[in-house]
């Protein structure tokens, strides 16, 4: 996390709208995520008075944006709490508007101009066990101020104002926060992955149909629907595209964002370390830095009855980690193999019996080739 000395941005004015904001950005409806980091507060009001103790508070902070709300943990017996609490707010729609329109999820509130969006609110309370929590201060930020500079962290100290005006000047300490506006891309990575899965599925269906259709016109001398090898190539290509569709759907829902370069480097590093240890006569290390062997599967056998047993096999997280790199590699290789096999099927037919007569099998294969190529482009996008 950052401290006050790490970043020194220009002071943020709470009373004026920042100048120089383009009209297109003001009127356009933003889409993305607002990341907020609540560092600490200073010189809060003391709400708890105990015998033989200095007056203090048990402060916590609530961050609100519209109907989204996050809360920090409570720091006890202090007027200078340090939370270091991070949270994120979704602003607008995450998926593009045309896609939401196709899904029937568009609403009137999906695209709000910046000036019509609710303000970002920070409220500090004192936690009480027996009575209602006491308000220690609050501050609001307009969205024009927050979204002015995207993809940059801004550290600012916000003066808290008492909602009830309990102090003469209306101020009751300050709040140190950082925020970063991350605009959503035109086509998010998840949507691109799902488009790739759909294209690969269409390619699988078209190639499977092509394997059972006629590729050449029937003649008196030759009634075969296609040349030798075409059916095998089409069936094998459809099977490869089916596997590619399943893996693409799985990787689209995997939470890890590790790159293939990092995964390959980690595997090579562990292998090199194991070889170095074995050259010195030391046991090879497995399962990370702990030096102990970690099981890939956990097997539990328990007795149900006198002659009946229940066997439970549970894969550990380490198994998923070891399979991550092969899954990612196959995600790139399988669509490429499906496109190649579709091209092989077309080439076998053309080389053995060239004809300008377009049959159903050739048409389905051409559609499968185009769809699988589009899915391959989305995979590498």
């Amino acid at each position: 996390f950052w401290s006050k000395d790490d970043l020194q941005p220009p002071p943020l004015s709470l009373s004026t709208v920042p100048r120089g904001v383009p009209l297109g950005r003001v009127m356009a409806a933003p889409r993305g995520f607002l990341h907020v980091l609540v560092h600490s507060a200073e010189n809060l009001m003391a709400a708890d008075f105990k015998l033989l103790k200095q007056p203090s508070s048990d402060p916590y902070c609530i961050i609100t944006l519209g109907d989204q709300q996050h809360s920090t943990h409570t720091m006890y017996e202090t007027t200078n709490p340090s939370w270091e609490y991070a949270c994120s707010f979704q602003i607008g729609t995450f998926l593009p508007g045309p896609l939401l329109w196709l899904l029937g999820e568009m609403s009137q509130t999906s695209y709000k101009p910046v000036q019509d969006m609710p303000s970002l609110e920070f409220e500090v309370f004192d936690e009480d066990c027996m009575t209602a929590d006491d308000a220690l201060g609050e501050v609001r930020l307009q969205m024009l101020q927050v979204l002015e500079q995207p993809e940059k962290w801004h550290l600012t100290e916000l003066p808290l104002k008492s909602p009830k005006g309990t102090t003469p000047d209306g101020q009751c300490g300050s709040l140190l926060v950082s925020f970063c506006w991350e605009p959503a891309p035109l086509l998010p990575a998840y949507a691109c992955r799902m488009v790739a899965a759909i294209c690969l599925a269409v390619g699988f269906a078209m190639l499977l149909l092509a394997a059972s259709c006629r590729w050449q016109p029937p003649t008196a001398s030759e009634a075969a629907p296609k040349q030798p090898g075409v059916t095998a190539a089409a069936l094998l290509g459809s099977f490869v595209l089916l596997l590619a569709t399943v893996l693409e759907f799985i990787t689209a829902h995997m939470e890890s964002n590790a790159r293939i370069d990092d995964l390959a480097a980690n595997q090579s590093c562990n292998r090199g370390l194991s070889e170095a240890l074995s050259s010195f006569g030391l046991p090879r290390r497995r399962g990370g830095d702990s030096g102990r062997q970690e099981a890939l599967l956990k097997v539990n056998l328990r007795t149900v009855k006198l002659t009946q047993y229940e066997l439970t096999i549970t894969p550990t997280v380490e198994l998923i980690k070891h399979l991550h790199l092969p899954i990612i590699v196959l995600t790139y290789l399988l669509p490429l193999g499906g496109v190649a096999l579709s091209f092989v099927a077309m080439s076998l037919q053309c080389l053995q019996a060239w004809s300008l007569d377009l049959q159903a099998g050739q048409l389905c294969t051409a559609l499968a080739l185009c769809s699988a190529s589009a899915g391959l482009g989305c995979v590498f996008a």
Side-chain angles (χ1 to χ4, degrees):
F1 298 117
W2 297 271
S3 63
K4 188 183 297 185
D5 299 330
D6 294 334
L7 298 173
Q8 292 296 336
L12 186 62
S13 173
L14 301 180
S15 57
T16 60
V17 175
R19 297 180 179 180
V21 180
L23 181 62
R25 186 189 300 175
V26 174
M27 299 304 297
R31 295 170 43 245
F33 295 97
L34 176 63
H35 307 294
V36 179
L37 181 59
V38 183
H39 297 283
S40 59
E42 294 181 352
N43 302 322
L44 296 178
M45 292 189 303
D48 298 334
F49 299 90
K50 299 179 181 179
L51 189 62
L52 302 179
K53 287 187 177 181
Q54 292 184 351
S56 62
S57 297
D58 301 328
Y60 65 93
C61 182
I62 295 179
I63 312 101
T64 306
L65 179 62
D67 56 353
Q68 305 176 66
Q69 189 175 87
H70 296 275
S71 177
T72 68
H73 58 280
T74 302
M75 300 293 295
Y76 294 98
E77 297 184 356
T78 180
T79 56
N80 299 291
S82 177
W83 294 293
E84 298 296 349
Y85 176 79
C87 59
S88 298
F89 296 92
Q90 180 181 347
I91 297 180
T93 60
F94 178 69
L95 296 177
L99 181 58
L100 293 178
W101 180 79
L102 290 175
L103 296 175
E105 294 187 4
M106 285 291 294
S107 62
Q108 297 295 331
T109 59
S110 297
Y111 291 93
K112 282 186 177 181
V114 181
Q115 58 268 29
D116 294 340
M117 299 182 65
S119 58
L120 181 64
E121 301 180 4
F122 298 88
E123 298 174 290
V124 182
F125 291 90
D126 169 64
E127 184 181 277
D128 292 326
C129 296
M130 305 300 294
T131 60
D133 295 346
D134 302 320
L136 300 180
E138 65 179 13
V139 64
R140 289 177 171 84
L141 284 177
Q142 300 298 323
M143 294 308 296
L144 276 174
Q145 300 168 280
V146 176
L147 308 183
E148 182 183 10
Q149 295 181 344
E151 298 181 351
K152 291 183 179 179
W153 280 97
H154 303 276
L155 178 70
T156 184
E157 189 172 2
L158 306 175
L160 293 173
K161 294 186 177 181
S162 175
K164 298 181 180 179
T166 55
T167 55
D169 56 357
Q171 294 184 356
C172 47
S174 61
L175 189 66
L176 186 65
V177 300
S178 297
F179 53 87
C180 175
W181 162 236
E182 181 186 356
L186 180 62
L187 187 62
Y190 176 76
C192 191
R193 289 281 189 178
M194 294 308 297
V195 170
I198 293 173
C199 291
L200 294 175
V202 172
F204 154 72
M206 290 292 102
L207 207 55
L208 188 62
L209 287 176
S212 59
C213 291
R214 178 172 291 278
W215 286 61
Q216 55 192 11
T219 59
S221 60
E222 186 180 9
K226 57 183 73 68
Q227 292 296 320
V230 175
T231 302
L235 288 177
L236 186 58
S238 64
F239 178 71
V240 170
L241 288 180
L242 177 61
L243 289 180
T245 302
V246 174
L247 285 182
E248 189 65 31
F249 186 81
I250 292 175
T251 53
H253 294 84
M254 292 177 65
E255 295 184 359
S256 176
N257 294 324
R259 301 181 306 168
I260 188 172
D261 181 67
D262 298 332
L263 295 173
N266 185 37
Q267 186 180 28
S268 299
C269 178
N270 292 336
R271 184 178 303 169
L273 180 59
S274 299
E275 293 177 356
L277 291 175
S278 63
S279 64
F280 285 99
L282 299 175
R284 295 194 176 191
R285 302 178 66 180
R286 298 179 183 176
D289 298 333
S290 60
R292 61 182 179 87
Q293 297 183 3
E294 297 187 7
L296 298 181
L297 295 173
K298 292 183 179 180
V299 181
N300 183 26
L301 180 64
R302 70 183 187 91
T303 304
V304 179
K305 293 182 181 180
L306 184 60
T307 58
Q308 293 183 3
Y309 300 91
E310 182 179 300
L311 180 64
T312 304
I313 301 177
T314 306
T316 62
V317 179
E318 291 296 323
L319 178 61
I320 304 300
K321 186 176 71 173
H322 287 299
L323 292 178
H324 196 180
L325 180 59
I327 289 177
I328 297 298
V329 172
L330 286 177
T331 302
Y332 289 100
L333 293 182
L334 286 178
L336 189 60
V339 172
L341 287 171
S342 302
F343 183 76
V344 166
M346 291 283 288
S347 301
L348 287 175
Q349 177 65 30
C350 293
L351 291 175
Q352 297 180 82
W354 172 257
S355 175
L356 295 178
D357 247 345
L358 187 62
Q359 300 297 313
Q362 297 168 335
L363 179 60
C364 290
T365 306
L367 293 177
L369 191 59
C370 294
S371 182
S373 300
L376 183 62
C378 292
V379 169
F380 284 94

